[in-house]
Amino acid sequence: VVDEERTERMRAVVADDAESSEREHGDDRELLGAEGYQTIDGFPCYRTVDGTIQTMMDIAVAHPHLATIEKIGESHQKRDIFVLKLTDKSSPAEKAPLFITAGIHAREYAPPELAIRFAEHLVENYGVSADIDGILAHTEIAITAVSNPDGRIIAQNFRNLWWRKNANEENECKEERGNYGVDLNRNFNFMWGGAGASTDPCGASYRGASAGSESETAAIMKYSESIFPPEQRKGNPVKDVDAPYDELTSKGMYVDVHSFGEDIIFPWGHKDKKAGNFQAYQAISHKLCSINGHLPSGSGGYRFLGTVSGDTLDYHYGELGVCSILFELGTEFYQNCDDFENKILPDNLKALLYASKLVHRPYELAKGPDVTRLTVPDATAASSSTVEVKARVSDREMTQLPNNSDDLPPETLSTGNQRIVSVKLFVGGHPYDPSPPEPLDMSPAGGVGGEASFASHTVDAALTLDVSDLTGMGPQIMVCAVGTDAMGFDGPVSCEYLTIAPRTTAAASPPPPAVDEGSAAQQQTTPASAGKPQSTTTATTPESPTITTSLQQTPTPAAATPQSTTTKATTTVTQNDIGGGVQTCSDQSIEGDCNEMAGCKWKKDKCQDVCAGKNKRDKCHKVGGCAWDGKSKICLRSPP
């Protein structure tokens, strides 16, 4: 219960955020966060409603070839609700829809920021990341980062209210005037009004006066109905609620982002009974959890968290036939910025990117094997040059949960233990292109147990390419890999760029001076590899980036006294997994440089790894810059 004066001040904020913010906080509200946008007081990592919407508009202006902003409706207080659409507008490929909503519950600070950071990540890495270029060429990603602007404004200015609902005062909540509004995640019109939704207007999960009664809910439903294929919907979704959707033809995904709980949730919510596409949802949730360290939760006794009705997932899956997933981020509503920046953000950007790869056939692709590593070294245009592309493909690796749970069955997923039967490489384009390149068969290069054949659920594959066959494709060539398992399921596509440097003609060097064979100086200064041609090496450590390094010798200059040969190294990160970057903490000898590195801290006159020794997941997550590796059960530094 809040007092009368406090209630009136709160309503003033909802009615006029700018004016009331100045009255409540003075000039502090004008301070901008690190990214140059208005942020929530005390939380410089989270943009305000105005800051988030301004970011969406700025992205659309700065990247007109990728981004479009569209108004899809209004809130109860007549604030605009926007969607930011991201796709490569020049691509002629058929686009599959991915719709991401965040901020449906007002007090959950992290979800809207993750959504807008994901948008920034996509546009900033377009033209740099082959994976992202492939996603944007074949997917239309729609993001509503602020789904409940009225409620969010209350939550960002009055944290002590723990505001969850929208700002609809037109209900009968008279006893607690500070707790009016409707829970938007109980107001969707599929199975509305059932268990898990309150009929009390003052209740935190109040369902609203009728199904879809709220303007915010109506805006999301109308937009979803416009972008997801109508032909994949059921004629009578309530009567046929338990029937599965066609997994071969179902297209598109819906992702709703909430906090907190560190869960990946899938339908159903209105009952604890397996959904028709339960097996596919198992695969999707396990693979996302293998990336962000969460635990899966779904109906059918699969760590079911409780009954809800009228929610986003059941509506999109049950009514529209869309594969639907919910992210529960972090461990608190007002998550601190260290946890968000160092753990939640990097892990869930990767998870959202993976979800984006599934959009064309989510149920099918999630059951297939994943390309967990793709190494594509750079090349030169020399006629005799070749490059070897390597891939690690696994049907099982990403189905293994990062953390054991007594609520989940221990057995391996039936779709995650199949033998790999083929690995295809597409050079010069993406397999989803209207006219894709002819697939090339990669050869076995060993697997689990050292088999030199595709006889395991996890294999290594390789293919040597002749650069002279590629020079007409331009200096940057897309290379994509896809694995297929014994059940016939293809996995999601993974891509890297092969960069071909122009051929250069080196000036002839004079011969080195004659040196006595017994010269100690010559023996000490000439490395064993001197005179060898350019070589490519790949260094891989568990749960760390795969680093492809090109080593080229600089000729020894002619001089009276022999000089040391210098090795120049060019480093390209081709796979970015959890586990740190190229440098370690111990490499840093300056306190300032040490403290700027994730997972490092200056102690006792040296730079130390603060993640090492944290042998429990919860302790690891509490340390900024650290990430828990569920497979090895160790705490590692997050990537820089």
Side-chain angles (χ1 to χ4, degrees), residues 65-66 85-91 93-95 118-119 121-127 129-141 353 356 430:
H65 56 299
L66 299 175
K85 295 190 292 186
L86 301 173
T87 191
D88 182 350
K89 297 178 183 180
S90 67
S91 170
E94 181 182 358
K95 310 288 179 67
F118 182 56
H121 183 73
L122 291 173
V123 298
E124 289 169 2
N125 287 279
Y126 174 78
S129 165
D131 254 353
I132 288 176
D133 288 357
I135 289 169
L136 290 176
H138 304 92
T139 311
E140 183 171 273
I141 300 175
L353 281 173
S356 302
H430 194 282

PDB file of all heavy atoms in Angstrom, residues 65-66 85-91 93-95 118-119 121-127 129-141 353 356 430:
ATOM      1  N   HIS A  65      19.852   0.259 -44.873  1.00  0.00           N
ATOM      2  CA  HIS A  65      19.879  -0.955 -45.689  1.00  0.00           C
ATOM      3  C   HIS A  65      19.511  -2.195 -44.884  1.00  0.00           C
ATOM      4  O   HIS A  65      19.249  -3.257 -45.454  1.00  0.00           O
ATOM      5  CB  HIS A  65      21.265  -1.139 -46.299  1.00  0.00           C
ATOM      6  CG  HIS A  65      22.376  -1.166 -45.287  1.00  0.00           C
ATOM      7  ND1 HIS A  65      22.646  -0.094 -44.457  1.00  0.00           N
ATOM      8  CD2 HIS A  65      23.268  -2.130 -44.953  1.00  0.00           C
ATOM      9  CE1 HIS A  65      23.661  -0.400 -43.665  1.00  0.00           C
ATOM     10  NE2 HIS A  65      24.050  -1.623 -43.938  1.00  0.00           N
ATOM     11  N   LEU A  66      19.472  -2.043 -43.547  1.00  0.00           N
ATOM     12  CA  LEU A  66      19.171  -3.179 -42.675  1.00  0.00           C
ATOM     13  C   LEU A  66      17.935  -2.965 -41.811  1.00  0.00           C
ATOM     14  O   LEU A  66      17.239  -3.932 -41.488  1.00  0.00           O
ATOM     15  CB  LEU A  66      20.357  -3.460 -41.735  1.00  0.00           C
ATOM     16  CG  LEU A  66      21.702  -3.830 -42.339  1.00  0.00           C
ATOM     17  CD1 LEU A  66      22.744  -3.945 -41.236  1.00  0.00           C
ATOM     18  CD2 LEU A  66      21.605  -5.136 -43.118  1.00  0.00           C
ATOM     19  N   LYS A  85      12.687  -3.650 -37.148  1.00  0.00           N
ATOM     20  CA  LYS A  85      12.848  -4.785 -38.059  1.00  0.00           C
ATOM     21  C   LYS A  85      14.245  -4.747 -38.672  1.00  0.00           C
ATOM     22  O   LYS A  85      14.674  -3.721 -39.207  1.00  0.00           O
ATOM     23  CB  LYS A  85      11.783  -4.748 -39.155  1.00  0.00           C
ATOM     24  CG  LYS A  85      10.372  -4.933 -38.630  1.00  0.00           C
ATOM     25  CD  LYS A  85       9.362  -5.146 -39.742  1.00  0.00           C
ATOM     26  CE  LYS A  85       9.178  -3.909 -40.581  1.00  0.00           C
ATOM     27  NZ  LYS A  85       8.078  -4.077 -41.577  1.00  0.00           N
ATOM     28  N   LEU A  86      14.938  -5.881 -38.598  1.00  0.00           N
ATOM     29  CA  LEU A  86      16.301  -5.990 -39.100  1.00  0.00           C
ATOM     30  C   LEU A  86      16.388  -7.112 -40.126  1.00  0.00           C
ATOM     31  O   LEU A  86      16.036  -8.262 -39.836  1.00  0.00           O
ATOM     32  CB  LEU A  86      17.277  -6.268 -37.951  1.00  0.00           C
ATOM     33  CG  LEU A  86      17.330  -5.223 -36.830  1.00  0.00           C
ATOM     34  CD1 LEU A  86      18.206  -5.713 -35.691  1.00  0.00           C
ATOM     35  CD2 LEU A  86      17.845  -3.891 -37.359  1.00  0.00           C
ATOM     36  N   THR A  87      16.852  -6.779 -41.312  1.00  0.00           N
ATOM     37  CA  THR A  87      17.083  -7.764 -42.362  1.00  0.00           C
ATOM     38  C   THR A  87      17.925  -7.122 -43.444  1.00  0.00           C
ATOM     39  O   THR A  87      17.952  -5.888 -43.574  1.00  0.00           O
ATOM     40  CB  THR A  87      15.753  -8.282 -42.947  1.00  0.00           C
ATOM     41  OG1 THR A  87      16.001  -9.418 -43.771  1.00  0.00           O
ATOM     42  CG2 THR A  87      15.043  -7.208 -43.762  1.00  0.00           C
ATOM     43  N   ASP A  88      18.627  -7.932 -44.208  1.00  0.00           N
ATOM     44  CA  ASP A  88      19.389  -7.425 -45.348  1.00  0.00           C
ATOM     45  C   ASP A  88      18.399  -7.170 -46.479  1.00  0.00           C
ATOM     46  O   ASP A  88      17.915  -8.099 -47.133  1.00  0.00           O
ATOM     47  CB  ASP A  88      20.440  -8.450 -45.762  1.00  0.00           C
ATOM     48  CG  ASP A  88      21.316  -7.962 -46.912  1.00  0.00           C
ATOM     49  OD1 ASP A  88      20.990  -6.921 -47.520  1.00  0.00           O
ATOM     50  OD2 ASP A  88      22.323  -8.630 -47.205  1.00  0.00           O
ATOM     51  N   LYS A  89      18.081  -5.899 -46.703  1.00  0.00           N
ATOM     52  CA  LYS A  89      17.048  -5.548 -47.678  1.00  0.00           C
ATOM     53  C   LYS A  89      17.461  -5.858 -49.109  1.00  0.00           C
ATOM     54  O   LYS A  89      16.605  -5.947 -49.996  1.00  0.00           O
ATOM     55  CB  LYS A  89      16.688  -4.070 -47.534  1.00  0.00           C
ATOM     56  CG  LYS A  89      16.095  -3.716 -46.176  1.00  0.00           C
ATOM     57  CD  LYS A  89      15.790  -2.231 -46.071  1.00  0.00           C
ATOM     58  CE  LYS A  89      15.274  -1.869 -44.688  1.00  0.00           C
ATOM     59  NZ  LYS A  89      14.976  -0.419 -44.551  1.00  0.00           N
ATOM     60  N   SER A  90      18.761  -6.024 -49.343  1.00  0.00           N
ATOM     61  CA  SER A  90      19.227  -6.322 -50.700  1.00  0.00           C
ATOM     62  C   SER A  90      19.154  -7.805 -51.030  1.00  0.00           C
ATOM     63  O   SER A  90      19.330  -8.194 -52.182  1.00  0.00           O
ATOM     64  CB  SER A  90      20.669  -5.838 -50.874  1.00  0.00           C
ATOM     65  OG  SER A  90      21.559  -6.600 -50.063  1.00  0.00           O
ATOM     66  N   SER A  91      18.902  -8.641 -50.036  1.00  0.00           N
ATOM     67  CA  SER A  91      18.893 -10.085 -50.262  1.00  0.00           C
ATOM     68  C   SER A  91      17.587 -10.520 -50.916  1.00  0.00           C
ATOM     69  O   SER A  91      16.502 -10.203 -50.422  1.00  0.00           O
ATOM     70  CB  SER A  91      19.076 -10.833 -48.940  1.00  0.00           C
ATOM     71  OG  SER A  91      18.844 -12.221 -49.112  1.00  0.00           O
ATOM     72  N   ALA A  93      16.570 -13.555 -51.012  1.00  0.00           N
ATOM     73  CA  ALA A  93      16.167 -14.831 -50.418  1.00  0.00           C
ATOM     74  C   ALA A  93      14.833 -14.701 -49.691  1.00  0.00           C
ATOM     75  O   ALA A  93      14.449 -13.621 -49.230  1.00  0.00           O
ATOM     76  CB  ALA A  93      17.241 -15.316 -49.451  1.00  0.00           C
ATOM     77  N   GLU A  94      14.137 -15.818 -49.571  1.00  0.00           N
ATOM     78  CA  GLU A  94      12.910 -15.856 -48.784  1.00  0.00           C
ATOM     79  C   GLU A  94      13.268 -15.694 -47.312  1.00  0.00           C
ATOM     80  O   GLU A  94      14.163 -16.367 -46.801  1.00  0.00           O
ATOM     81  CB  GLU A  94      12.188 -17.184 -49.014  1.00  0.00           C
ATOM     82  CG  GLU A  94      10.885 -17.313 -48.262  1.00  0.00           C
ATOM     83  CD  GLU A  94      10.218 -18.657 -48.484  1.00  0.00           C
ATOM     84  OE1 GLU A  94      10.773 -19.466 -49.256  1.00  0.00           O
ATOM     85  OE2 GLU A  94       9.161 -18.902 -47.879  1.00  0.00           O
ATOM     86  N   LYS A  95      12.568 -14.803 -46.631  1.00  0.00           N
ATOM     87  CA  LYS A  95      12.892 -14.487 -45.239  1.00  0.00           C
ATOM     88  C   LYS A  95      11.933 -15.217 -44.286  1.00  0.00           C
ATOM     89  O   LYS A  95      10.725 -15.244 -44.509  1.00  0.00           O
ATOM     90  CB  LYS A  95      12.788 -12.979 -44.991  1.00  0.00           C
ATOM     91  CG  LYS A  95      13.534 -12.097 -45.993  1.00  0.00           C
ATOM     92  CD  LYS A  95      15.027 -12.175 -45.814  1.00  0.00           C
ATOM     93  CE  LYS A  95      15.759 -11.306 -46.827  1.00  0.00           C
ATOM     94  NZ  LYS A  95      15.545  -9.859 -46.635  1.00  0.00           N
ATOM     95  N   PHE A 118      21.149  -6.732 -28.617  1.00  0.00           N
ATOM     96  CA  PHE A 118      21.160  -7.721 -29.693  1.00  0.00           C
ATOM     97  C   PHE A 118      21.009  -7.027 -31.044  1.00  0.00           C
ATOM     98  O   PHE A 118      21.717  -7.352 -32.010  1.00  0.00           O
ATOM     99  CB  PHE A 118      20.042  -8.736 -29.484  1.00  0.00           C
ATOM    100  CG  PHE A 118      20.000  -9.831 -30.516  1.00  0.00           C
ATOM    101  CD1 PHE A 118      21.109 -10.623 -30.759  1.00  0.00           C
ATOM    102  CD2 PHE A 118      18.844 -10.069 -31.243  1.00  0.00           C
ATOM    103  CE1 PHE A 118      21.076 -11.640 -31.712  1.00  0.00           C
ATOM    104  CE2 PHE A 118      18.791 -11.081 -32.191  1.00  0.00           C
ATOM    105  CZ  PHE A 118      19.915 -11.866 -32.429  1.00  0.00           C
ATOM    106  N   ALA A 119      20.114  -6.053 -31.110  1.00  0.00           N
ATOM    107  CA  ALA A 119      19.958  -5.285 -32.350  1.00  0.00           C
ATOM    108  C   ALA A 119      21.254  -4.572 -32.710  1.00  0.00           C
ATOM    109  O   ALA A 119      21.692  -4.587 -33.874  1.00  0.00           O
ATOM    110  CB  ALA A 119      18.816  -4.283 -32.199  1.00  0.00           C
ATOM    111  N   HIS A 121      24.258  -5.397 -31.822  1.00  0.00           N
ATOM    112  CA  HIS A 121      25.257  -6.410 -32.182  1.00  0.00           C
ATOM    113  C   HIS A 121      25.093  -6.846 -33.635  1.00  0.00           C
ATOM    114  O   HIS A 121      26.084  -7.021 -34.362  1.00  0.00           O
ATOM    115  CB  HIS A 121      25.117  -7.605 -31.245  1.00  0.00           C
ATOM    116  CG  HIS A 121      26.128  -8.688 -31.470  1.00  0.00           C
ATOM    117  ND1 HIS A 121      27.452  -8.560 -31.104  1.00  0.00           N
ATOM    118  CD2 HIS A 121      26.022  -9.916 -32.042  1.00  0.00           C
ATOM    119  CE1 HIS A 121      28.108  -9.658 -31.422  1.00  0.00           C
ATOM    120  NE2 HIS A 121      27.266 -10.496 -32.002  1.00  0.00           N
ATOM    121  N   LEU A 122      23.873  -7.010 -34.076  1.00  0.00           N
ATOM    122  CA  LEU A 122      23.629  -7.444 -35.450  1.00  0.00           C
ATOM    123  C   LEU A 122      24.091  -6.401 -36.463  1.00  0.00           C
ATOM    124  O   LEU A 122      24.807  -6.722 -37.419  1.00  0.00           O
ATOM    125  CB  LEU A 122      22.143  -7.744 -35.644  1.00  0.00           C
ATOM    126  CG  LEU A 122      21.582  -8.967 -34.910  1.00  0.00           C
ATOM    127  CD1 LEU A 122      20.067  -9.023 -35.057  1.00  0.00           C
ATOM    128  CD2 LEU A 122      22.212 -10.260 -35.421  1.00  0.00           C
ATOM    129  N   VAL A 123      23.699  -5.149 -36.261  1.00  0.00           N
ATOM    130  CA  VAL A 123      24.042  -4.134 -37.265  1.00  0.00           C
ATOM    131  C   VAL A 123      25.525  -3.781 -37.225  1.00  0.00           C
ATOM    132  O   VAL A 123      26.124  -3.469 -38.263  1.00  0.00           O
ATOM    133  CB  VAL A 123      23.174  -2.870 -37.101  1.00  0.00           C
ATOM    134  CG1 VAL A 123      21.707  -3.204 -37.319  1.00  0.00           C
ATOM    135  CG2 VAL A 123      23.372  -2.204 -35.747  1.00  0.00           C
ATOM    136  N   GLU A 124      26.129  -3.835 -36.044  1.00  0.00           N
ATOM    137  CA  GLU A 124      27.547  -3.491 -35.935  1.00  0.00           C
ATOM    138  C   GLU A 124      28.449  -4.565 -36.530  1.00  0.00           C
ATOM    139  O   GLU A 124      29.580  -4.281 -36.940  1.00  0.00           O
ATOM    140  CB  GLU A 124      27.919  -3.252 -34.469  1.00  0.00           C
ATOM    141  CG  GLU A 124      27.332  -1.959 -33.899  1.00  0.00           C
ATOM    142  CD  GLU A 124      27.475  -1.868 -32.392  1.00  0.00           C
ATOM    143  OE1 GLU A 124      28.064  -2.804 -31.800  1.00  0.00           O
ATOM    144  OE2 GLU A 124      26.988  -0.879 -31.810  1.00  0.00           O
ATOM    145  N   ASN A 125      27.977  -5.802 -36.588  1.00  0.00           N
ATOM    146  CA  ASN A 125      28.798  -6.894 -37.105  1.00  0.00           C
ATOM    147  C   ASN A 125      28.376  -7.347 -38.499  1.00  0.00           C
ATOM    148  O   ASN A 125      28.906  -8.332 -39.014  1.00  0.00           O
ATOM    149  CB  ASN A 125      28.768  -8.075 -36.135  1.00  0.00           C
ATOM    150  CG  ASN A 125      29.572  -7.800 -34.881  1.00  0.00           C
ATOM    151  OD1 ASN A 125      30.792  -7.924 -34.866  1.00  0.00           O
ATOM    152  ND2 ASN A 125      28.884  -7.394 -33.824  1.00  0.00           N
ATOM    153  N   TYR A 126      27.425  -6.645 -39.085  1.00  0.00           N
ATOM    154  CA  TYR A 126      27.060  -6.914 -40.471  1.00  0.00           C
ATOM    155  C   TYR A 126      28.251  -6.578 -41.373  1.00  0.00           C
ATOM    156  O   TYR A 126      28.884  -5.535 -41.233  1.00  0.00           O
ATOM    157  CB  TYR A 126      25.850  -6.068 -40.863  1.00  0.00           C
ATOM    158  CG  TYR A 126      25.472  -6.172 -42.321  1.00  0.00           C
ATOM    159  CD1 TYR A 126      24.786  -7.275 -42.803  1.00  0.00           C
ATOM    160  CD2 TYR A 126      25.813  -5.156 -43.209  1.00  0.00           C
ATOM    161  CE1 TYR A 126      24.441  -7.371 -44.142  1.00  0.00           C
ATOM    162  CE2 TYR A 126      25.467  -5.239 -44.553  1.00  0.00           C
ATOM    163  CZ  TYR A 126      24.783  -6.353 -45.011  1.00  0.00           C
ATOM    164  OH  TYR A 126      24.450  -6.440 -46.340  1.00  0.00           O
ATOM    165  N   GLY A 127      28.584  -7.481 -42.280  1.00  0.00           N
ATOM    166  CA  GLY A 127      29.741  -7.288 -43.143  1.00  0.00           C
ATOM    167  C   GLY A 127      31.034  -7.760 -42.532  1.00  0.00           C
ATOM    168  O   GLY A 127      32.062  -7.803 -43.213  1.00  0.00           O
ATOM    169  N   SER A 129      30.876 -10.462 -39.696  1.00  0.00           N
ATOM    170  CA  SER A 129      30.588 -11.845 -39.321  1.00  0.00           C
ATOM    171  C   SER A 129      29.792 -12.528 -40.426  1.00  0.00           C
ATOM    172  O   SER A 129      28.694 -12.081 -40.785  1.00  0.00           O
ATOM    173  CB  SER A 129      29.792 -11.879 -38.012  1.00  0.00           C
ATOM    174  OG  SER A 129      29.203 -13.145 -37.804  1.00  0.00           O
ATOM    175  N   ALA A 130      30.321 -13.616 -40.951  1.00  0.00           N
ATOM    176  CA  ALA A 130      29.600 -14.364 -41.986  1.00  0.00           C
ATOM    177  C   ALA A 130      28.321 -14.970 -41.422  1.00  0.00           C
ATOM    178  O   ALA A 130      27.307 -15.061 -42.122  1.00  0.00           O
ATOM    179  CB  ALA A 130      30.502 -15.457 -42.559  1.00  0.00           C
ATOM    180  N   ASP A 131      28.358 -15.405 -40.163  1.00  0.00           N
ATOM    181  CA  ASP A 131      27.158 -15.946 -39.532  1.00  0.00           C
ATOM    182  C   ASP A 131      26.038 -14.908 -39.507  1.00  0.00           C
ATOM    183  O   ASP A 131      24.885 -15.199 -39.860  1.00  0.00           O
ATOM    184  CB  ASP A 131      27.476 -16.396 -38.104  1.00  0.00           C
ATOM    185  CG  ASP A 131      27.538 -17.912 -37.974  1.00  0.00           C
ATOM    186  OD1 ASP A 131      27.198 -18.612 -38.951  1.00  0.00           O
ATOM    187  OD2 ASP A 131      27.919 -18.396 -36.904  1.00  0.00           O
ATOM    188  N   ILE A 132      26.366 -13.696 -39.070  1.00  0.00           N
ATOM    189  CA  ILE A 132      25.353 -12.642 -38.989  1.00  0.00           C
ATOM    190  C   ILE A 132      24.880 -12.229 -40.377  1.00  0.00           C
ATOM    191  O   ILE A 132      23.682 -12.001 -40.596  1.00  0.00           O
ATOM    192  CB  ILE A 132      25.901 -11.450 -38.187  1.00  0.00           C
ATOM    193  CG1 ILE A 132      25.979 -11.832 -36.702  1.00  0.00           C
ATOM    194  CG2 ILE A 132      25.042 -10.196 -38.382  1.00  0.00           C
ATOM    195  CD1 ILE A 132      26.579 -10.782 -35.810  1.00  0.00           C
ATOM    196  N   ASP A 133      25.792 -12.158 -41.334  1.00  0.00           N
ATOM    197  CA  ASP A 133      25.379 -11.832 -42.698  1.00  0.00           C
ATOM    198  C   ASP A 133      24.412 -12.884 -43.234  1.00  0.00           C
ATOM    199  O   ASP A 133      23.425 -12.562 -43.905  1.00  0.00           O
ATOM    200  CB  ASP A 133      26.600 -11.735 -43.609  1.00  0.00           C
ATOM    201  CG  ASP A 133      27.428 -10.488 -43.329  1.00  0.00           C
ATOM    202  OD1 ASP A 133      27.024  -9.686 -42.465  1.00  0.00           O
ATOM    203  OD2 ASP A 133      28.485 -10.321 -43.964  1.00  0.00           O
ATOM    204  N   GLY A 134      24.702 -14.157 -42.938  1.00  0.00           N
ATOM    205  CA  GLY A 134      23.806 -15.223 -43.379  1.00  0.00           C
ATOM    206  C   GLY A 134      22.447 -15.146 -42.714  1.00  0.00           C
ATOM    207  O   GLY A 134      21.410 -15.372 -43.349  1.00  0.00           O
ATOM    208  N   ILE A 135      22.434 -14.812 -41.431  1.00  0.00           N
ATOM    209  CA  ILE A 135      21.164 -14.679 -40.706  1.00  0.00           C
ATOM    210  C   ILE A 135      20.332 -13.542 -41.287  1.00  0.00           C
ATOM    211  O   ILE A 135      19.146 -13.703 -41.590  1.00  0.00           O
ATOM    212  CB  ILE A 135      21.433 -14.448 -39.207  1.00  0.00           C
ATOM    213  CG1 ILE A 135      21.966 -15.736 -38.553  1.00  0.00           C
ATOM    214  CG2 ILE A 135      20.172 -13.975 -38.491  1.00  0.00           C
ATOM    215  CD1 ILE A 135      22.509 -15.534 -37.152  1.00  0.00           C
ATOM    216  N   LEU A 136      20.933 -12.371 -41.461  1.00  0.00           N
ATOM    217  CA  LEU A 136      20.181 -11.208 -41.935  1.00  0.00           C
ATOM    218  C   LEU A 136      19.757 -11.345 -43.394  1.00  0.00           C
ATOM    219  O   LEU A 136      18.773 -10.729 -43.813  1.00  0.00           O
ATOM    220  CB  LEU A 136      21.010  -9.941 -41.742  1.00  0.00           C
ATOM    221  CG  LEU A 136      21.213  -9.507 -40.285  1.00  0.00           C
ATOM    222  CD1 LEU A 136      22.132  -8.293 -40.205  1.00  0.00           C
ATOM    223  CD2 LEU A 136      19.882  -9.206 -39.607  1.00  0.00           C
ATOM    224  N   ALA A 137      20.464 -12.145 -44.168  1.00  0.00           N
ATOM    225  CA  ALA A 137      20.084 -12.349 -45.565  1.00  0.00           C
ATOM    226  C   ALA A 137      18.868 -13.252 -45.703  1.00  0.00           C
ATOM    227  O   ALA A 137      18.184 -13.218 -46.732  1.00  0.00           O
ATOM    228  CB  ALA A 137      21.258 -12.934 -46.348  1.00  0.00           C
ATOM    229  N   HIS A 138      18.577 -14.055 -44.663  1.00  0.00           N
ATOM    230  CA  HIS A 138      17.521 -15.057 -44.788  1.00  0.00           C
ATOM    231  C   HIS A 138      16.471 -14.974 -43.682  1.00  0.00           C
ATOM    232  O   HIS A 138      15.592 -15.834 -43.605  1.00  0.00           O
ATOM    233  CB  HIS A 138      18.151 -16.455 -44.798  1.00  0.00           C
ATOM    234  CG  HIS A 138      19.184 -16.623 -45.863  1.00  0.00           C
ATOM    235  ND1 HIS A 138      20.522 -16.387 -45.643  1.00  0.00           N
ATOM    236  CD2 HIS A 138      19.072 -16.961 -47.173  1.00  0.00           C
ATOM    237  CE1 HIS A 138      21.192 -16.591 -46.770  1.00  0.00           C
ATOM    238  NE2 HIS A 138      20.349 -16.932 -47.706  1.00  0.00           N
ATOM    239  N   THR A 139      16.563 -13.956 -42.839  1.00  0.00           N
ATOM    240  CA  THR A 139      15.655 -13.829 -41.700  1.00  0.00           C
ATOM    241  C   THR A 139      15.226 -12.378 -41.549  1.00  0.00           C
ATOM    242  O   THR A 139      16.019 -11.465 -41.797  1.00  0.00           O
ATOM    243  CB  THR A 139      16.354 -14.280 -40.394  1.00  0.00           C
ATOM    244  OG1 THR A 139      16.974 -15.544 -40.600  1.00  0.00           O
ATOM    245  CG2 THR A 139      15.367 -14.382 -39.247  1.00  0.00           C
ATOM    246  N   GLU A 140      13.993 -12.159 -41.151  1.00  0.00           N
ATOM    247  CA  GLU A 140      13.555 -10.826 -40.746  1.00  0.00           C
ATOM    248  C   GLU A 140      13.350 -10.858 -39.240  1.00  0.00           C
ATOM    249  O   GLU A 140      12.453 -11.537 -38.739  1.00  0.00           O
ATOM    250  CB  GLU A 140      12.269 -10.408 -41.449  1.00  0.00           C
ATOM    251  CG  GLU A 140      11.853  -8.979 -41.080  1.00  0.00           C
ATOM    252  CD  GLU A 140      10.709  -8.446 -41.921  1.00  0.00           C
ATOM    253  OE1 GLU A 140      10.984  -7.895 -43.007  1.00  0.00           O
ATOM    254  OE2 GLU A 140       9.553  -8.606 -41.491  1.00  0.00           O
ATOM    255  N   ILE A 141      14.207 -10.146 -38.539  1.00  0.00           N
ATOM    256  CA  ILE A 141      14.175 -10.133 -37.079  1.00  0.00           C
ATOM    257  C   ILE A 141      13.438  -8.879 -36.621  1.00  0.00           C
ATOM    258  O   ILE A 141      13.842  -7.758 -36.942  1.00  0.00           O
ATOM    259  CB  ILE A 141      15.601 -10.162 -36.501  1.00  0.00           C
ATOM    260  CG1 ILE A 141      16.324 -11.438 -36.961  1.00  0.00           C
ATOM    261  CG2 ILE A 141      15.569 -10.085 -34.976  1.00  0.00           C
ATOM    262  CD1 ILE A 141      17.777 -11.506 -36.551  1.00  0.00           C
ATOM    263  N   LEU A 353      21.707 -15.510 -31.043  1.00  0.00           N
ATOM    264  CA  LEU A 353      22.256 -15.779 -32.374  1.00  0.00           C
ATOM    265  C   LEU A 353      21.974 -17.217 -32.789  1.00  0.00           C
ATOM    266  O   LEU A 353      21.626 -17.490 -33.946  1.00  0.00           O
ATOM    267  CB  LEU A 353      23.764 -15.509 -32.391  1.00  0.00           C
ATOM    268  CG  LEU A 353      24.191 -14.052 -32.511  1.00  0.00           C
ATOM    269  CD1 LEU A 353      25.698 -13.928 -32.345  1.00  0.00           C
ATOM    270  CD2 LEU A 353      23.767 -13.463 -33.854  1.00  0.00           C
ATOM    271  N   SER A 356      18.479 -17.580 -33.821  1.00  0.00           N
ATOM    272  CA  SER A 356      18.275 -16.978 -35.141  1.00  0.00           C
ATOM    273  C   SER A 356      18.618 -17.942 -36.268  1.00  0.00           C
ATOM    274  O   SER A 356      18.077 -17.829 -37.374  1.00  0.00           O
ATOM    275  CB  SER A 356      19.127 -15.711 -35.273  1.00  0.00           C
ATOM    276  OG  SER A 356      18.816 -14.769 -34.266  1.00  0.00           O
ATOM    277  N   HIS A 430      25.384 -19.178 -49.324  1.00  0.00           N
ATOM    278  CA  HIS A 430      24.679 -19.799 -48.204  1.00  0.00           C
ATOM    279  C   HIS A 430      23.721 -20.860 -48.746  1.00  0.00           C
ATOM    280  O   HIS A 430      23.130 -20.673 -49.814  1.00  0.00           O
ATOM    281  CB  HIS A 430      23.902 -18.708 -47.455  1.00  0.00           C
ATOM    282  CG  HIS A 430      23.391 -19.096 -46.116  1.00  0.00           C
ATOM    283  ND1 HIS A 430      22.261 -19.872 -45.948  1.00  0.00           N
ATOM    284  CD2 HIS A 430      23.840 -18.811 -44.857  1.00  0.00           C
ATOM    285  CE1 HIS A 430      22.029 -20.038 -44.656  1.00  0.00           C
ATOM    286  NE2 HIS A 430      22.975 -19.409 -43.970  1.00  0.00           N
TER     287      HIS A 430
END
